[in-house]
Amino acid sequence: MNKTELVKVNTNDGQSPRTINSREVAEMTGMRHSDLLEKIGGSKKVKGYITHLTNGKFRSSDFFIESTYVDAKGETRHCYEITRKGCDMVANKMIGEKGILFTAAYVTRFEEMEQLVKDKSTMSYKDVLLKDIQSGNNSKIS
């Protein structure tokens, strides 16, 4: 998996990146994606972050946004788009070196996305397309 496959730069206002896909977060943290999905969404046995947020009167969509992706077999699978606040929550539940390294990775990733949005906002549409073609970048800004 490469970053352009995993990351959609989602924005609310066309300026600031909003999310990182849970598959990339799982890869950054070294955990199985299914385990991360359970921590976020919960299961029959375990309440997830979303349940706790909702019970605490927080909007879970400020942290985790339900989404899907198509896997290599062409099947639609569940995932989340995770906001910076959601990444903070995941990182705060991790301890030691693993938590530190994940925090450094996601902060860096959000900074890269912010720079991409900034660069593209100062370029003409033609220049953006030309740069994307030259770099082989398939990321989308919506």
Side-chain angles (χ1 to χ4, degrees), residues 23-36:
R23 294 179 297 149
E24 183 174 6
V25 170
E27 187 175 283
M28 288 173 158
T29 60
M31 79 173 67
R32 291 180 14 187
H33 187 238
S34 60
D35 292 341
L36 179 60

Side-chain angles (χ1 to χ4, degrees), residues 63-127:
F63 300 81
F64 308 103
I65 302 162
E66 290 198 53
S67 189
T68 59
Y69 69 97
V70 178
D71 69 10
K73 293 190 262 181
E75 296 176 358
T76 301
R77 302 284 182 190
H78 183 250
C79 66
Y80 289 95
E81 294 296 326
I82 304 177
T83 68
R84 181 172 279 192
K85 287 168 81 171
C87 285
D88 285 341
M89 181 170 292
V90 172
N92 285 325
K93 295 296 181 188
M94 300 174 76
I95 58 170
E97 182 180 2
K98 198 171 188 177
I100 292 167
L101 295 176
F102 170 60
T103 300
Y106 86 79
V107 167
T108 300
R109 190 70 190 105
F110 272 98
E111 286 176 352
E112 289 170 358
M113 291 189 299
E114 288 165 354
Q115 187 61 46
L116 176 67
V117 170
K118 182 179 176 185
D119 290 349
K120 287 188 176 186
S121 69
T122 61
M123 299 170 71
S124 72
Y125 182 71
K126 179 181 174 184
D127 291 337

